[in-house]
Structure formats: structure tokens, C-alpha cells
């Protein structure tokens, strides 16, 4: 199977930006600009913005995602949000294991796996992030690390459930830095992810999985990145906060 039959997914990751009122305004601005998209369009927003975002995106081709999910169904986990809560609020996607959560909030490969399972069991689509730091890259560990993180995240995920998994390769050194991986580096990293999926599930299954690139993807470099064989979409931080830039990236994905 070739890239052309994998569905491209462009997802914005707003991080800790936009109030609910600002979310409504930005989505209303984006809606007409992305209406003709030839890819799936997702906006992952702060928890508090979800009701406003779901409302604003109604009857459009924009799906709303969350930026994290807890792995337990309910209980004494102050400050956390369950998969069931997200589903009831109209959320369809959730980002899991973003490097900022790994770096600042104690996220581990084990908790990434548990969150992924919880999301999938609730019927959410999981956007699972993997990526190496600059130090790991310079030491030559990129392939080993990407394969390890991918396989750890997918532990006990069935081939059937994998249909609802997107992996986002996000080199940590490229996130929010303005330093984008070259198109070849992105393709290579995404290829390592796909190879890990092939090792775990077989080549035929691996060829069907959407693998995004993320890390300073913007209106200028998106087309070149998205043209690569293994780059099936993007997870977009900074550029997803500007309607015109995000729409340009969406238009570059086919
Ligand atoms: P960036 O963020 O596009 O601002 O680099 C990407 C991400 O963290 O998902």
C-alpha cells in the first residue's frame, strides 16, 4: 500500500493557548478556510475550551481533540479528565505523550501506553507522540528510541484498535524552536516509526497507519514535508494558532 491511500490528518495542537471565547473566534475564522480540505482536520484544544470548540465546529469538517486524557475511568485523581468525559463532551481525538508532558509532567512510556489504551477503549482516536532529543540524536539513538517509544506506546493495542491510532513523530529539538527537521529527516523518522509498527503488526498493517510529522511545521515548509512518502500529515503547534497559516498547511495535505 502506498502513501496515496493513507488518509492525511492535519491536527492543530493549541497547547496552553486561547480562552473559550478566543477558541470560538479562531474556529469561526478557520471554518471557511478549511472547508474544502482533502484531509482530516483536527484541532486539539485545552480542556476548558472543549465545549466552545465543539459548538463552534458543529456542521463543519473540523473535529475537536483534547491534549491529554487520564488512564483511569474515574476516582480520586484530582485535576484529571477521563476518556468518557471527553467522549460525552464531543471530543473525537486526543494527543497522548506529547514531549512537553514527558518533559514537564512526568509522563513515561508506561503512562503513555495506559492513556492510549484508555482512549481507544472509549472510542477516541489517539494521536501518540514520539521523538528524540537533540542529545539522543547526536548519540545516534534516534532509530532505537523511536522504535522503543512506538512499541511501548502500543503495548496490548490490537491490530483492530490500531485503526484509531495516529503516531506523530516530533523531534524534541524541532518543537517550538523554529528549527524544522529537513524533509528527509522527517521522512526517515516517520519511516522508523512505521518500521516499528511493521515489526509488531506486520508490514501490511504498518502501511495503513497514519504517521504525522510535528515540529515547527508551518505554511512555508508544509508542502515539502507532506510530499514525503512516510509523512501522512502534521501535528501543528504555533502555526495552528493562526487561521490563514493553518489553512495553508491543510491545503498542502492530500
Ligand atoms: P510547533 O509544535 O509546531 O510549535 O513546533 C508542534 C507540537 O508540539 O505539536
Amino acid at each position: 500500500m502506498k502513501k496515496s491511500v493513507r488518509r492525511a490528518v492535519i491536527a492543530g495542537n493549541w497547547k496552553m493557548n486561547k480562552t473559550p471565547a478566543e477558541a470560538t473566534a479562531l474556529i469561526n475564522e478557520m471554518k471557511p478556510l478549511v472547508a474544502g480540505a482533502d484531509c482530516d482536520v483536527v484541532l486539539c484544544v485545552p480542556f476548558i475550551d472543549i465545549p466552545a470548540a465543539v459548538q463552534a465546529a458543529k456542521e463543519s469538517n473540523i473535529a475537536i481533540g483534547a491534549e491529554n486524557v487520564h488512564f483511569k475511568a474515574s476516582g480520586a485523581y484530582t485535576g484529571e479528565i477521563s476518556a468518557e468525559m471527553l467522549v460525552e463532551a464531543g471530543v473525537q481525538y486526543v494527543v497522548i505523550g506529547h514531549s512537553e508532558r514527558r518533559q514537564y509532567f512526568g509522563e513515561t512510556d508506561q503512562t503513555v501506553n495506559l492513556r492510549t489504551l484508555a482512549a481507544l477503549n472509549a472510542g477516541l482516536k489517539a494521536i501518540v507522540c514520539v521523538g528524540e532529543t537533540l542529545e539522543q540524536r547526536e548519540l545516534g539513538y534516534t532509530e532505537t528510541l523511536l522504535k522503543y517509544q512506538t512499541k511501548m506506546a502500543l503495548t496490548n493495542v490490537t491490530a483492530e484498535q490500531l485503526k484509531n491510532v495516529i503516531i506523530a513523530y516530533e523531534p524534541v529539538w524541532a518543537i517550538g524552536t523554529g528549527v524544522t527537521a529537513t524533509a528527509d529527516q522527517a521522512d526517515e523518522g516517520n519511516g522508523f516509526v512505521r518500521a516499528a509498527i511493521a515489526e509488531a503488526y506486520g508490514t501490511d498493517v504498518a502501511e495503513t497507519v497514519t504517521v504525522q510529522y510535528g515540529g515547527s511545521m508551518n505554511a512555508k515548509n508544509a508542502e515539502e514535508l507532506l510530499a514525503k512518502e512516510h509523512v501522512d500529515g502534521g501535528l501543528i503547534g504555533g502555526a495552528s494558532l493562526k487561521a490563514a497559516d493553518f489553512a495553508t498547511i491543510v491545503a498542502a495535505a492530500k
Side-chain angles (χ1 to χ4, degrees):
M1 195 180 278
K2 277 288 171 200
K3 174 188 174 76
S4 52
V5 299
R6 289 192 290 271
R7 185 84 181 145
V9 181
I10 299 294
N13 171 19
W14 285 3
K15 311 192 179 189
M16 196 173 74
N17 292 293
K18 303 295 172 187
T19 67
E22 289 168 347
T24 299
L26 182 53
I27 291 171
N28 284 336
E29 197 185 342
M30 282 179 177
K31 274 194 291 193
L33 303 180
V34 303
D38 193 16
C39 62
D40 290 343
V41 182
V42 184
L43 291 173
C44 299
V45 305
F47 288 134
I48 194 74
D49 292 351
I50 287 170
V54 167
Q55 182 63 32
K58 230 175 217 164
E59 280 155 35
S60 79
N61 59 329
I62 299 174
I64 299 302
E67 299 176 13
N68 191 19
V69 62
H70 194 59
F71 39 85
K72 295 282 190 180
S74 63
Y77 303 99
T78 302
E80 294 297 321
I81 302 278
S82 74
E84 189 193 351
M85 294 171 189
L86 295 177
V87 169
E88 193 175 312
V91 165
Q92 297 177 56
Y93 290 79
V94 60
V95 176
I96 295 171
H98 190 278
S99 66
E100 286 150 18
R101 296 221 56 91
R102 295 180 191 254
Q103 191 178 345
Y104 306 129
F105 302 102
E107 193 77 70
T108 66
D109 290 314
Q110 283 76 18
T111 56
V112 168
N113 174 237
L114 292 173
R115 291 182 208 280
T116 301
L117 290 168
L120 294 173
N121 288 333
L124 292 165
K125 290 187 168 70
I127 302 176
V128 179
C129 303
V130 298
E132 83 288 359
T133 63
L134 187 58
E135 189 185 15
Q136 288 162 338
R137 172 168 280 267
E138 285 171 348
L139 288 169
Y141 292 146
T142 302
E143 178 175 2
T144 308
L145 190 97
L146 291 180
K147 287 186 167 180
Y148 179 80
Q149 287 185 341
T150 301
K151 288 180 184 174
M152 286 293 285
L154 298 177
T155 304
N156 295 324
V157 171
T158 66
E160 186 59 28
Q161 287 178 313
L162 195 64
K163 292 176 182 161
N164 286 324
V165 174
I166 293 165
I167 307 283
Y169 166 51
E170 299 208 308
V172 177
W173 47 271
I175 295 176
T177 56
V179 181
T180 318
T182 64
D184 285 339
Q185 284 172 326
D187 197 41
E188 181 184 57
N190 282 30
F192 292 149
V193 169
R194 199 176 309 286
I197 299 170
E199 285 166 21
Y201 296 89
T203 309
D204 289 354
V205 171
E207 289 295 319
T208 66
V209 177
T210 295
V211 183
Q212 296 175 321
Y213 167 79
S216 299
M217 191 187 276
N218 58 41
K220 289 206 176 80
N221 60 27
E223 194 168 352
E224 191 190 354
L225 289 161
L226 291 166
K228 286 291 176 182
E229 168 62 26
H230 292 294
V231 181
D232 308 316
L235 185 56
I236 325 294
S240 73
L241 297 169
K242 293 181 199 133
D245 287 8
F246 187 66
T248 301
I249 298 169
V250 167
K254 293 180 191 81

